[in-house]
Amino acid sequence: MAGLTLTPRGALAVLLRRLHWVRGASGEVRDGKPELLSASNQRGDSPATLMQIEHGRMQVTTADQAASAPTTPIQPAPPGLTDPLTLSWGYLQRPPPTRTFTVPLLINDKVQTAHITPQRTTLKWQGQEVACTLLDAHSAQSSATLRIWLRQSDGLPLQVELGMGDRYGLDVVQTLAAVPDGLPAAHVQH
């Protein structure tokens, strides 16, 4: 078996390194709504940004600061703060929302006010039409968009689409490859 390794050089290498993006989040459901507890964000070769949310306060540090300066300024965190990851998984095993709502949403390292409109729809997933609730989120502070397809039966996020907006001109689509153990498989809708 042969393999091929491509090593970019010059401007292409710099561009690809900057496109590398790693995002992590941890949250929980409080009063029936998903809320963010911590998040990390790293783009390219810059140090990761770390956010901790506790008792209505958010502490933001970089990975470099965390080791050298444990005390950084604390900012107020809006009640109900969430992010795309926490919002996507926050309705698992719970009924998806049915009414339009507004939520503070952490996108990258900035808090935006997102207006979310739930819509009943179907999604073709693994060759089957699955009944879903589409959470369609928009913010006046950004041209970015967020669309989350939650399986109607159990709130499982089957697909998440993040439109990076005019600044980046890129859409990221994440489709769940398999149903996690312990959850039922998809059912065909007629």
Side-chain angles (χ1 to χ4, degrees):
M1 176 177 257
L4 174 66
T5 301
L6 298 174
T7 305
R9 297 175 190 254
L12 181 59
V14 172
L15 174 65
L16 291 176
R17 186 171 51 244
R18 286 185 181 159
L19 287 177
H20 179 78
W21 183 24
V22 178
R23 174 91 176 149
S26 172
E28 67 183 18
V29 176
R30 292 183 183 167
D31 298 324
K33 297 178 183 172
E35 284 195 33
L36 184 65
L37 297 176
S38 66
S40 63
N41 192 31
Q42 182 177 14
R43 283 182 292 212
D45 52 6
S46 61
T49 303
L50 311 169
M51 289 136 297
Q52 289 286 2
I53 296 97
E54 194 172 298
H55 304 296
R57 298 176 299 186
M58 179 168 58
Q59 186 169 19
V60 180
T61 60
T62 65
D64 293 346
Q65 286 176 319
S68 63
T71 56
T72 58
I74 295 176
Q75 310 168 27
L81 179 64
T82 190
D83 76 322
L85 289 172
T86 306
L87 185 63
S88 299
W89 287 92
Y91 291 98
L92 185 62
Q93 300 293 341
R94 299 183 330 97
T98 57
R99 296 184 179 168
T100 300
F101 62 100
T102 301
V103 65
L105 193 65
L106 184 68
I107 302 286
N108 294 325
D109 304 332
K110 295 183 176 77
V111 176
Q112 299 181 13
T113 301
H115 303 284
I116 301 176
T117 305
Q119 305 166 30
R120 291 187 79 123
T121 188
T122 59
L123 174 71
K124 189 163 187 129
W125 184 73
Q126 296 188 345
Q128 300 178 20
E129 291 293 324
V130 179
C132 289
T133 294
L134 169 62
L135 301 183
D136 195 1
H138 298 275
S139 172
Q141 294 120 333
S142 168
S143 61
T145 59
L146 174 65
R147 295 169 50 111
I148 303 167
W149 284 263
L150 302 174
R151 187 165 64 176
Q152 197 75 70
S153 62
D154 58 8
L156 182 67
L158 298 180
Q159 186 166 297
V160 178
E161 178 183 303
L162 180 60
M164 303 295 275
D166 299 335
R167 180 176 177 194
Y168 297 103
L170 177 70
D171 291 336
V172 177
V173 179
Q174 173 191 348
T175 302
L176 189 67
V179 175
D181 291 340
L183 295 174
H187 299 287
V188 178
Q189 298 294 309
H190 300 285

mmCIF file with all atom_site columns, all heavy atoms in Angstrom, residues 142-153:
data_model
loop_
_atom_site.group_PDB
_atom_site.id
_atom_site.type_symbol
_atom_site.label_atom_id
_atom_site.label_alt_id
_atom_site.label_comp_id
_atom_site.label_asym_id
_atom_site.label_entity_id
_atom_site.label_seq_id
_atom_site.pdbx_PDB_ins_code
_atom_site.Cartn_x
_atom_site.Cartn_y
_atom_site.Cartn_z
_atom_site.occupancy
_atom_site.B_iso_or_equiv
_atom_site.pdbx_formal_charge
_atom_site.auth_seq_id
_atom_site.auth_comp_id
_atom_site.auth_asym_id
_atom_site.auth_atom_id
_atom_site.pdbx_PDB_model_num
ATOM 1  N N   . SER A 1 142 ? -23.446 40.510 13.331 1.00 0.00 ? 142 SER A N   1
ATOM 2  C CA  . SER A 1 142 ? -22.571 39.748 12.446 1.00 0.00 ? 142 SER A CA  1
ATOM 3  C C   . SER A 1 142 ? -23.358 39.211 11.254 1.00 0.00 ? 142 SER A C   1
ATOM 4  O O   . SER A 1 142 ? -24.564 38.994 11.348 1.00 0.00 ? 142 SER A O   1
ATOM 5  C CB  . SER A 1 142 ? -21.962 38.583 13.240 1.00 0.00 ? 142 SER A CB  1
ATOM 6  O OG  . SER A 1 142 ? -21.331 37.671 12.396 1.00 0.00 ? 142 SER A OG  1
ATOM 7  N N   . SER A 1 143 ? -22.662 38.957 10.156 1.00 0.00 ? 143 SER A N   1
ATOM 8  C CA  . SER A 1 143 ? -23.305 38.324 9.013  1.00 0.00 ? 143 SER A CA  1
ATOM 9  C C   . SER A 1 143 ? -23.201 36.801 9.106  1.00 0.00 ? 143 SER A C   1
ATOM 10 O O   . SER A 1 143 ? -23.685 36.088 8.231  1.00 0.00 ? 143 SER A O   1
ATOM 11 C CB  . SER A 1 143 ? -22.666 38.814 7.702  1.00 0.00 ? 143 SER A CB  1
ATOM 12 O OG  . SER A 1 143 ? -21.289 38.478 7.667  1.00 0.00 ? 143 SER A OG  1
ATOM 13 N N   . ALA A 1 144 ? -22.603 36.288 10.180 1.00 0.00 ? 144 ALA A N   1
ATOM 14 C CA  . ALA A 1 144 ? -22.504 34.843 10.377 1.00 0.00 ? 144 ALA A CA  1
ATOM 15 C C   . ALA A 1 144 ? -23.893 34.265 10.652 1.00 0.00 ? 144 ALA A C   1
ATOM 16 O O   . ALA A 1 144 ? -24.776 34.952 11.176 1.00 0.00 ? 144 ALA A O   1
ATOM 17 C CB  . ALA A 1 144 ? -21.565 34.529 11.539 1.00 0.00 ? 144 ALA A CB  1
ATOM 18 N N   . THR A 1 145 ? -24.074 33.006 10.304 1.00 0.00 ? 145 THR A N   1
ATOM 19 C CA  . THR A 1 145 ? -25.337 32.315 10.545 1.00 0.00 ? 145 THR A CA  1
ATOM 20 C C   . THR A 1 145 ? -25.060 30.978 11.217 1.00 0.00 ? 145 THR A C   1
ATOM 21 O O   . THR A 1 145 ? -23.961 30.437 11.121 1.00 0.00 ? 145 THR A O   1
ATOM 22 C CB  . THR A 1 145 ? -26.101 32.058 9.229  1.00 0.00 ? 145 THR A CB  1
ATOM 23 O OG1 . THR A 1 145 ? -25.279 31.274 8.356  1.00 0.00 ? 145 THR A OG1 1
ATOM 24 C CG2 . THR A 1 145 ? -26.485 33.361 8.555  1.00 0.00 ? 145 THR A CG2 1
ATOM 25 N N   . LEU A 1 146 ? -26.060 30.461 11.906 1.00 0.00 ? 146 LEU A N   1
ATOM 26 C CA  . LEU A 1 146 ? -25.972 29.162 12.545 1.00 0.00 ? 146 LEU A CA  1
ATOM 27 C C   . LEU A 1 146 ? -27.297 28.453 12.319 1.00 0.00 ? 146 LEU A C   1
ATOM 28 O O   . LEU A 1 146 ? -28.359 29.012 12.592 1.00 0.00 ? 146 LEU A O   1
ATOM 29 C CB  . LEU A 1 146 ? -25.696 29.327 14.046 1.00 0.00 ? 146 LEU A CB  1
ATOM 30 C CG  . LEU A 1 146 ? -25.711 28.061 14.898 1.00 0.00 ? 146 LEU A CG  1
ATOM 31 C CD1 . LEU A 1 146 ? -24.577 27.119 14.491 1.00 0.00 ? 146 LEU A CD1 1
ATOM 32 C CD2 . LEU A 1 146 ? -25.589 28.421 16.379 1.00 0.00 ? 146 LEU A CD2 1
ATOM 33 N N   . ARG A 1 147 ? -27.216 27.226 11.795 1.00 0.00 ? 147 ARG A N   1
ATOM 34 C CA  . ARG A 1 147 ? -28.417 26.412 11.565 1.00 0.00 ? 147 ARG A CA  1
ATOM 35 C C   . ARG A 1 147 ? -28.155 25.032 12.155 1.00 0.00 ? 147 ARG A C   1
ATOM 36 O O   . ARG A 1 147 ? -27.142 24.411 11.858 1.00 0.00 ? 147 ARG A O   1
ATOM 37 C CB  . ARG A 1 147 ? -28.729 26.319 10.081 1.00 0.00 ? 147 ARG A CB  1
ATOM 38 C CG  . ARG A 1 147 ? -29.094 27.676 9.486  1.00 0.00 ? 147 ARG A CG  1
ATOM 39 C CD  . ARG A 1 147 ? -29.139 27.655 7.970  1.00 0.00 ? 147 ARG A CD  1
ATOM 40 N NE  . ARG A 1 147 ? -29.929 26.574 7.438  1.00 0.00 ? 147 ARG A NE  1
ATOM 41 C CZ  . ARG A 1 147 ? -31.095 26.717 6.810  1.00 0.00 ? 147 ARG A CZ  1
ATOM 42 N NH1 . ARG A 1 147 ? -31.592 27.906 6.635  1.00 0.00 ? 147 ARG A NH1 1
ATOM 43 N NH2 . ARG A 1 147 ? -31.748 25.673 6.356  1.00 0.00 ? 147 ARG A NH2 1
ATOM 44 N N   . ILE A 1 148 ? -29.074 24.590 13.025 1.00 0.00 ? 148 ILE A N   1
ATOM 45 C CA  . ILE A 1 148 ? -28.925 23.313 13.727 1.00 0.00 ? 148 ILE A CA  1
ATOM 46 C C   . ILE A 1 148 ? -30.179 22.477 13.473 1.00 0.00 ? 148 ILE A C   1
ATOM 47 O O   . ILE A 1 148 ? -31.293 22.928 13.742 1.00 0.00 ? 148 ILE A O   1
ATOM 48 C CB  . ILE A 1 148 ? -28.753 23.547 15.244 1.00 0.00 ? 148 ILE A CB  1
ATOM 49 C CG1 . ILE A 1 148 ? -27.560 24.459 15.526 1.00 0.00 ? 148 ILE A CG1 1
ATOM 50 C CG2 . ILE A 1 148 ? -28.628 22.216 15.984 1.00 0.00 ? 148 ILE A CG2 1
ATOM 51 C CD1 . ILE A 1 148 ? -27.503 24.982 16.947 1.00 0.00 ? 148 ILE A CD1 1
ATOM 52 N N   . TRP A 1 149 ? -29.994 21.262 12.964 1.00 0.00 ? 149 TRP A N   1
ATOM 53 C CA  . TRP A 1 149 ? -31.101 20.336 12.746 1.00 0.00 ? 149 TRP A CA  1
ATOM 54 C C   . TRP A 1 149 ? -31.125 19.342 13.905 1.00 0.00 ? 149 TRP A C   1
ATOM 55 O O   . TRP A 1 149 ? -30.242 18.495 14.038 1.00 0.00 ? 149 TRP A O   1
ATOM 56 C CB  . TRP A 1 149 ? -30.935 19.583 11.431 1.00 0.00 ? 149 TRP A CB  1
ATOM 57 C CG  . TRP A 1 149 ? -31.249 20.392 10.225 1.00 0.00 ? 149 TRP A CG  1
ATOM 58 C CD1 . TRP A 1 149 ? -32.425 20.420 9.540  1.00 0.00 ? 149 TRP A CD1 1
ATOM 59 C CD2 . TRP A 1 149 ? -30.377 21.304 9.529  1.00 0.00 ? 149 TRP A CD2 1
ATOM 60 N NE1 . TRP A 1 149 ? -32.341 21.287 8.476  1.00 0.00 ? 149 TRP A NE1 1
ATOM 61 C CE2 . TRP A 1 149 ? -31.099 21.840 8.447  1.00 0.00 ? 149 TRP A CE2 1
ATOM 62 C CE3 . TRP A 1 149 ? -29.069 21.724 9.731  1.00 0.00 ? 149 TRP A CE3 1
ATOM 63 C CZ2 . TRP A 1 149 ? -30.552 22.763 7.579  1.00 0.00 ? 149 TRP A CZ2 1
ATOM 64 C CZ3 . TRP A 1 149 ? -28.521 22.639 8.866  1.00 0.00 ? 149 TRP A CZ3 1
ATOM 65 C CH2 . TRP A 1 149 ? -29.262 23.150 7.796  1.00 0.00 ? 149 TRP A CH2 1
ATOM 66 N N   . LEU A 1 150 ? -32.137 19.470 14.782 1.00 0.00 ? 150 LEU A N   1
ATOM 67 C CA  . LEU A 1 150 ? -32.315 18.583 15.925 1.00 0.00 ? 150 LEU A CA  1
ATOM 68 C C   . LEU A 1 150 ? -33.337 17.517 15.565 1.00 0.00 ? 150 LEU A C   1
ATOM 69 O O   . LEU A 1 150 ? -34.438 17.837 15.095 1.00 0.00 ? 150 LEU A O   1
ATOM 70 C CB  . LEU A 1 150 ? -32.818 19.358 17.144 1.00 0.00 ? 150 LEU A CB  1
ATOM 71 C CG  . LEU A 1 150 ? -31.965 20.518 17.640 1.00 0.00 ? 150 LEU A CG  1
ATOM 72 C CD1 . LEU A 1 150 ? -32.695 21.264 18.755 1.00 0.00 ? 150 LEU A CD1 1
ATOM 73 C CD2 . LEU A 1 150 ? -30.612 20.020 18.105 1.00 0.00 ? 150 LEU A CD2 1
ATOM 74 N N   . ARG A 1 151 ? -32.999 16.253 15.796 1.00 0.00 ? 151 ARG A N   1
ATOM 75 C CA  . ARG A 1 151 ? -33.956 15.184 15.529 1.00 0.00 ? 151 ARG A CA  1
ATOM 76 C C   . ARG A 1 151 ? -35.153 15.374 16.448 1.00 0.00 ? 151 ARG A C   1
ATOM 77 O O   . ARG A 1 151 ? -34.998 15.577 17.656 1.00 0.00 ? 151 ARG A O   1
ATOM 78 C CB  . ARG A 1 151 ? -33.293 13.820 15.743 1.00 0.00 ? 151 ARG A CB  1
ATOM 79 C CG  . ARG A 1 151 ? -34.191 12.673 15.315 1.00 0.00 ? 151 ARG A CG  1
ATOM 80 C CD  . ARG A 1 151 ? -33.450 11.378 15.180 1.00 0.00 ? 151 ARG A CD  1
ATOM 81 N NE  . ARG A 1 151 ? -32.891 10.908 16.433 1.00 0.00 ? 151 ARG A NE  1
ATOM 82 C CZ  . ARG A 1 151 ? -32.264 9.737  16.557 1.00 0.00 ? 151 ARG A CZ  1
ATOM 83 N NH1 . ARG A 1 151 ? -32.112 8.942  15.498 1.00 0.00 ? 151 ARG A NH1 1
ATOM 84 N NH2 . ARG A 1 151 ? -31.778 9.377  17.722 1.00 0.00 ? 151 ARG A NH2 1
ATOM 85 N N   . GLN A 1 152 ? -36.338 15.354 15.877 1.00 0.00 ? 152 GLN A N   1
ATOM 86 C CA  . GLN A 1 152 ? -37.571 15.632 16.610 1.00 0.00 ? 152 GLN A CA  1
ATOM 87 C C   . GLN A 1 152 ? -37.774 14.669 17.776 1.00 0.00 ? 152 GLN A C   1
ATOM 88 O O   . GLN A 1 152 ? -38.212 15.078 18.847 1.00 0.00 ? 152 GLN A O   1
ATOM 89 C CB  . GLN A 1 152 ? -38.762 15.539 15.650 1.00 0.00 ? 152 GLN A CB  1
ATOM 90 C CG  . GLN A 1 152 ? -40.006 16.184 16.172 1.00 0.00 ? 152 GLN A CG  1
ATOM 91 C CD  . GLN A 1 152 ? -39.937 17.688 16.095 1.00 0.00 ? 152 GLN A CD  1
ATOM 92 O OE1 . GLN A 1 152 ? -39.981 18.239 15.029 1.00 0.00 ? 152 GLN A OE1 1
ATOM 93 N NE2 . GLN A 1 152 ? -39.831 18.349 17.217 1.00 0.00 ? 152 GLN A NE2 1
ATOM 94 N N   . SER A 1 153 ? -37.424 13.415 17.611 1.00 0.00 ? 153 SER A N   1
ATOM 95 C CA  . SER A 1 153 ? -37.724 12.407 18.628 1.00 0.00 ? 153 SER A CA  1
ATOM 96 C C   . SER A 1 153 ? -36.902 12.547 19.903 1.00 0.00 ? 153 SER A C   1
ATOM 97 O O   . SER A 1 153 ? -37.365 12.176 20.978 1.00 0.00 ? 153 SER A O   1
ATOM 98 C CB  . SER A 1 153 ? -37.525 10.997 18.047 1.00 0.00 ? 153 SER A CB  1
ATOM 99 O OG  . SER A 1 153 ? -36.172 10.819 17.657 1.00 0.00 ? 153 SER A OG  1
#
